[in-house]
Amino acid sequence: MTAGCFVKHFETPERATAAVRHHTWIAEHASPLRQPAVTAVGSTSVTFERVEGRPARPEDLPLLAELLGNAHGAAWTSDLRSVSLNTPHHFQDGTTFSDYLGPRQAALQRRLEQGYLPDKVALQTMLTLLEKTAEGPTAFYKDSNPRNFLITKTGAVYTVDTDDLTLAPLAYDLAKLIVTLVATYGPLPEGAISEALTAYNRAAACHDARLGTTDRKRLDDFVALHAVLTAPYAGRNGYRTGWLPGHHRPRGSA
């Protein structure tokens, strides 16, 4: 980190290249998400424009939900309209844009092995839920946790961390934001989730009416998946807990 810039280091050149590729795709196809500019690329590092801001807080949820709905609608209109959730997409350079099911099926299997699911019956329940949600228009997932938003003193919102990018259903990344806000700050105010979903649907529907139809049951299914998938991070990165009231608390979580 130096004055005026932020240098992020990666374990391999491939990871650094992927981060730049994802940054470029978002800039082209999901322009409502403002990102710090890439100013230099090294073999295992990427230098970004430095942005001073705070991470997202619960009171930011309606604004960020609207932003995500707008970004997902823009990406669907621009590049994902004819893309299937369960078929890997491709970037312009031919590399793979991971599908929705594959990475999460593997991650849920790891949660069983790590002790965050109690048995194979619970694993099968989560896999069935995952398959149930793999329908509808295609959006993308970039891990919308509170730390991946920077909100400046003027109220401008920047999104950071383009390490991972996959296909996902509409509102799946909104559910990730909800889960991680709860994990970081505790229960949200009454009605906050419904308000956020309304804001998300309204913004997405501005791009096409079919994009603004996510209901609360579907959002809750995404929340249940994220509660298990994020369980290993409890106690890290500011997450005080890895589960939500009303959902099964995985064995071994803090």
Side-chain angles (χ1 to χ4, degrees):
M1 184 183 300
T2 60
C5 66
F6 172 80
V7 181
K8 183 164 187 177
H9 297 276
F10 297 85
E11 294 181 359
T12 65
E14 290 76 17
R15 293 286 290 172
T17 299
V20 175
R21 182 187 302 119
H22 300 162
H23 184 284
T24 300
W25 185 89
I26 289 171
E28 181 177 357
H29 299 293
S31 57
L33 296 183
R34 181 184 298 182
Q35 303 177 98
V38 172
T39 60
V41 179
S43 60
T44 58
S45 67
V46 181
T47 303
F48 296 92
E49 166 196 12
R50 185 177 180 84
V51 174
E52 297 291 348
R54 61 168 176 81
R57 298 193 290 244
E59 59 266 30
D60 303 312
L61 180 55
L63 170 66
L64 298 180
E66 180 179 1
L67 178 63
L68 286 172
N70 196 16
H72 292 164
W76 181 86
T77 301
S78 174
D79 192 41
L80 302 178
R81 184 188 300 261
S82 61
V83 174
S84 168
L85 280 167
N86 303 318
T87 302
H89 190 36
H90 296 281
F91 294 98
Q92 288 184 349
D93 64 2
T95 55
T96 300
F97 193 141
S98 296
D99 67 301
Y100 174 60
L101 281 179
R104 289 162 184 86
Q105 288 169 333
L108 288 170
Q109 177 64 46
R110 289 195 299 272
R111 298 301 175 264
L112 174 65
E113 296 165 358
Q114 294 165 333
Y116 296 103
L117 288 170
D119 51 41
K120 290 186 177 180
V121 174
L123 171 62
Q124 188 56 52
T125 297
M126 297 310 297
L127 289 173
T128 300
L129 181 61
L130 177 67
E131 291 173 4
K132 173 188 170 186
T133 63
E135 60 181 14
T138 299
F140 64 92
Y141 168 78
K142 72 159 298 295
D143 187 11
S144 289
N145 67 63
R147 302 180 316 281
N148 286 344
F149 292 99
L150 292 176
I151 301 176
T152 70
K153 289 182 179 180
T154 63
V157 179
Y158 285 81
T159 59
V160 298
D161 189 353
T162 56
D163 295 8
D164 297 300
L165 201 65
T166 71
L167 300 177
L170 287 156
Y172 180 81
D173 217 355
L174 173 62
K176 176 59 178 287
L177 177 60
I178 291 167
V179 167
T180 52
L181 280 172
V182 171
T184 303
Y185 298 103
L188 297 172
E190 183 73 24
I193 294 176
S194 294
E195 180 184 358
L197 181 58
T198 297
Y200 178 92
N201 279 332
R202 185 187 305 117
C206 288
H207 298 269
D208 189 286
R210 291 169 290 179
L211 306 183
T213 59
T214 301
D215 61 23
R216 182 60 186 270
K217 176 62 172 65
R218 184 165 171 82
L219 183 68
D220 286 347
D221 287 344
F222 293 147
V223 165
L225 288 166
H226 282 300
V228 174
L229 291 170
T230 61
Y233 304 102
R236 298 164 50 191
N237 302 323
Y239 296 156
R240 297 186 298 170
T241 179
W243 63 287
L244 290 178
H247 292 286
H248 169 71
R249 184 175 186 175
R251 177 165 54 89
S253 64

